[in-house]
Amino acid sequence: MNGALALIKALEAVGCETVFGIPGGAILPAYDPLFDSAKIRHVLTRHEQGAGHAASGYAQATGRVGVCMATSGPGATNLVTPLADAYLDSLPVVAITGQVARPVIGTDAFQEADIRSITLPITKHSYQVTDPDDIPHVIAEAFTLAASGRPGPVLVDLPKDVLAAPAAWTEPEPPVVVRPRLDPAGVRQAADLLARAERPVFYVGGGVVRAGAAALLLELAERTGVPVVTTLMARGAFPDSHPQHLGMPGMHGTVAAVAAMQKADLLVALGARFDDRVTGSLARFAPEALVVHADIDPAEISKNRRADVPLVGDCRDVLRALNASVTTGGDLGAWWAYLDGLRTTFPLGYDWPEDGSLAPQYVISRIGELVGPEAIYTSGVGQHQMWAAQFVRYERPGSFINSGGLGTMGFAVPAAMGAVCGAPDRQVWAIDGDGCFQMTNQELATCALEGLPIKVAVINNGNLGMVRQWQNLFYGSRYSQTSLGSTPDFALLAEAMGCVGLRCSSRPGVDDVVREAMAVRDRPVVIDFVVGADAQVWPMVAAGTGNDEIMTARGLRPLCDSDTGEDL
Amino acid sequence: MHRLSLLLRNKPGALARVVVLFSTRDVAVESLSLNPADADGLSRLDVQVRLREGRSVDQLVHQLRRVVDLCEVSAA
């Protein structure tokens, strides 16, 4: 047995079923035994970045480790963006990279890049294997590390001669996952605060999804009657149809969700990290709230906002303990009356463009209605992402896969490809923007050839829409370098890559074209939704301002006591 | 100024990961000394660092504890 065969056998032994990748010089030995593997499906992507995001999409759709593979040098550096993305969104991903042979490491050999050093700040851990006998246990350790504690990406760099050398096989040890022990005193304090709070909020983040704790959250919410907000990474962790759900907080959150956090006397943060997109100006964030902060990573607690009650633990354990400890909460009648008033007065909404063009929010809400909550939705980054977060109704954890922390444009198509590999029985819809789509659409060719029938709804406003929105609001409508023009023809581009290409530019056609796409099962479908360029994402908390200054439209600040109505 | 004492496994990249963490988190290193520790396969890293205003050494210690090849860290 050589190192390469040990690698493939180790991947099989730890339960890896799908690898996204591209072969090349240094990783070539690994692709030879992979050719014979009956257990591992290799999806040959068109760009390593696609392989990396596909591994993330797979990980989020399945809850298991996503795996990508690339050769040394440029193959490996093309994984940098997906690794950074997976690091910031805490995704269990293992990246396997080829490396030049040991004798020439450090000599600027052909296709040599020090990928371990390059990825140090964006990986949870990394290995460079120098002894082929180490391969089985390094692979097992990498999988365990990626998935345990706070999940994250792990890199395994394999010099070509290590892959080619004889290797001893030792069965990898099954992973031992240790969960931190919860501090019972902290749980009691949290339960006590919950019982006394008059204006409590559950601030739910992606940690609840990663922990598989959505059912326990529902139990705690119903037991206590406390309002719930779900961040971008947690959409679906609590059903949108639930009356206690106020929606998404933050920069483009609902008025009710933003106000609930801002006016709360108790914030119970569950697997959330007080990101600046949620808090706005930290100095002005939730000024009257005590904070219970539950997170599996102690380094997140009190990083941005001091926690009054820190709870280090897996959200399953935290929620189970809270469910066992809380008695009935206090009377929340006045709190709910206030929040219900905001919900009624400031529901999510949008105006139809005056020029008669299609409203992007309408397109996205119709996709959500027609495709339903059993599907998986992915998105890129920008206006379409925020509308996908606002106007699709999510009922299941993990049903919205997007790039939250890093904000990686081009995430939608490859993530959808990975998601459909992991969940082939679900419809997978990528809601994309025309800017994002042009960054990674080459993976449609992969999807067509591999028989991965993803649907891509390109919300095509011919612009880098979110940047244009900021230029409109903050740069005097000087639209510097945000127009993308009207080429290429996305429907023709889709057809050229073996997909079905459709187009819709009017309101009456939306339902029909979505149904037409849903009926296609053997190929990917791209729908070019030609929408107006002037639609904006509202509400909005401008970067660096306080959440109290949330605007429901330009200059309209419903939470400011003395709203002068002046412009920005 | 804070003094940190770290016990690291002698694994490739362990020191680099700690130093990169300082750089990532905008921690200024005033002095740094690496020596073999008493136990086999371990090294003692003594560092003096300066933190940005408003950032706590406890938080830095928690971030250092995420480094897989770090066995121990204490701050003084």
Side-chain angles (χ1 to χ4, degrees), chain A residues 59-145:
Chain A
Q60 291 186 79
T62 61
R64 300 167 53 202
V65 175
V67 183
C68 54
M69 198 183 283
T71 194
S72 64
T77 56
N78 279 342
L79 290 177
V80 168
T81 299
L83 287 171
D85 187 273
Y87 188 70
L88 279 177
D89 284 346
S90 306
L91 303 175
V93 168
V94 169
I96 295 165
T97 50
Q99 183 54 278
V100 299
R102 280 171 297 177
V104 295
I105 287 178
T107 65
D108 305 319
F110 178 66
Q111 290 194 331
E112 179 178 7
D114 180 5
I115 194 63
R116 280 193 77 193
S117 296
I118 290 169
T119 57
L120 275 175
I122 53 169
T123 49
K124 195 172 164 183
H125 192 56
S126 48
Y127 300 89
Q128 187 177 71
V129 183
T130 51
D131 180 347
D133 294 353
D134 289 341
I135 290 176
H137 82 85
V138 164
I139 292 296
E141 260 181 46
F143 270 65
T144 304
L145 272 175

Side-chain angles (χ1 to χ4, degrees), chain A residues 195-466:
Chain A
R196 291 204 313 254
E198 292 173 0
R199 300 185 309 281
V201 178
F202 291 147
Y203 158 33
V204 176
V208 169
V209 180
R210 300 282 172 276
L216 292 163
L217 169 67
L218 183 65
E219 185 188 337
L220 183 69
E222 293 191 336
R223 197 184 279 270
T224 55
V226 169
V228 177
V229 303
T230 52
T231 68
L232 186 64
M233 294 313 293
R235 303 288 293 115
F238 193 73
D240 276 346
S241 58
H242 198 287
Q244 281 169 249
H245 196 176
L246 300 175
M248 181 170 75
M251 182 174 270
H252 294 296
T254 65
V255 173
V258 170
M261 293 186 82
Q262 210 52 15
K263 312 284 184 197
D265 65 354
L266 177 66
L267 283 178
V268 180
L270 298 160
R273 59 184 178 88
F274 294 85
D275 178 75
D276 58 82
R277 260 28 184 185
V278 166
T279 63
S281 161
L282 262 178
R284 283 174 273 171
F285 173 67
E288 291 161 37
L290 290 173
V291 171
V292 173
H293 192 172
D295 202 288
I296 197 156
D297 182 357
E300 283 305 337
I301 293 174
S302 297
K303 181 181 79 177
N304 291 339
R305 168 71 179 244
R306 199 184 70 84
D308 299 282
V309 180
L311 284 176
V312 177
D314 184 291
C315 278
R316 263 174 307 177
D317 299 328
V318 170
L319 284 162
R320 211 172 273 137
L322 286 174
N323 274 317
S325 312
V326 291
T327 47
T328 50
D331 176 13
L332 305 180
W335 183 220
W336 271 113
Y338 169 72
L339 297 171
D340 280 336
L342 289 176
R343 270 208 282 214
T344 312
T345 316
F346 305 105
L348 277 176
Y350 57 91
D351 296 324
W352 277 85
E354 285 167 10
D355 61 4
S357 58
L358 193 52
Q361 303 94 327
Y362 175 78
V363 172
I364 290 167
S365 62
R366 289 310 298 158
I367 291 171
E369 288 289 329
L370 293 166
V371 176
E374 290 307 312
I376 291 173
Y377 301 84
T378 70
S379 85
V381 168
Q383 286 185 317
H384 70 278
Q385 174 193 29
M386 291 299 111
W387 290 320
Q390 292 176 332
F391 291 103
V392 176
R393 308 272 289 170
Y394 300 101
E395 302 290 320
R396 293 186 309 110
S399 55
F400 184 43
I401 298 174
N402 77 129
S403 169
L406 192 66
T408 310
M409 284 182 68
F411 182 78
V413 169
M417 172 170 73
V420 80
C421 284
D425 297 332
R426 293 195 187 274
Q427 280 207 57
V428 178
W429 278 73
I431 295 174
D432 215 356
D434 52 312
C436 285
F437 184 69
Q438 291 185 75
M439 292 188 176
T440 51
N441 66 59
Q442 78 283 345
E443 300 309 338
L444 284 171
T446 313
C447 291
L449 290 166
E450 293 273 342
L452 302 170
I454 64 167
K455 324 285 189 221
V456 183
V458 182
I459 308 301
N460 179 4
N461 61 8
N463 278 276
L464 298 167
M466 187 60 95

Side-chain angles (χ1 to χ4, degrees), chain B residues 19-30:
Chain B
V19 171
V20 164
L21 191 151
F22 291 146
S23 160
T24 304
R25 303 288 172 183
D26 205 10
V27 173
V29 176
E30 300 286 338

